[in-house]
Amino acid sequence: MGDSDEVLDIKTADIKAVAPVFHRQSKKLSDALTTLVSTLDGLGKPWGDDKPGK
């Protein structure tokens, strides 16, 4: 952390400038989660119904 007492130096303009990037990445993450869930749902239960599978 160094010797500085300053923890964050974030300006409102900085936040506004990166907001579109966060929005795009959030959408990509949401799409990836949807793909993962639908893919796993489509597999059924490939781990089996035996004791280790449960």
Side-chain angles (χ1 to χ4, degrees):
M1 291 283 202
D3 295 328
S4 175
D5 289 334
E6 186 175 306
V7 176
L8 297 174
D9 182 26
I10 301 173
K11 310 279 188 285
T12 303
D14 297 335
I15 295 171
K16 288 180 180 182
V18 298
V21 175
F22 277 101
H23 177 73
R24 285 190 303 273
Q25 297 304 327
S26 172
K27 176 70 172 116
K28 287 181 180 181
L29 186 58
S30 175
D31 292 346
L33 177 60
T34 299
T35 300
L36 176 62
V37 169
S38 63
T39 300
L40 291 175
D41 285 347
L43 293 175
K45 293 186 178 182
W47 49 84
D49 196 26
D50 57 353
K51 187 176 179 180
K54 292 182 181 183

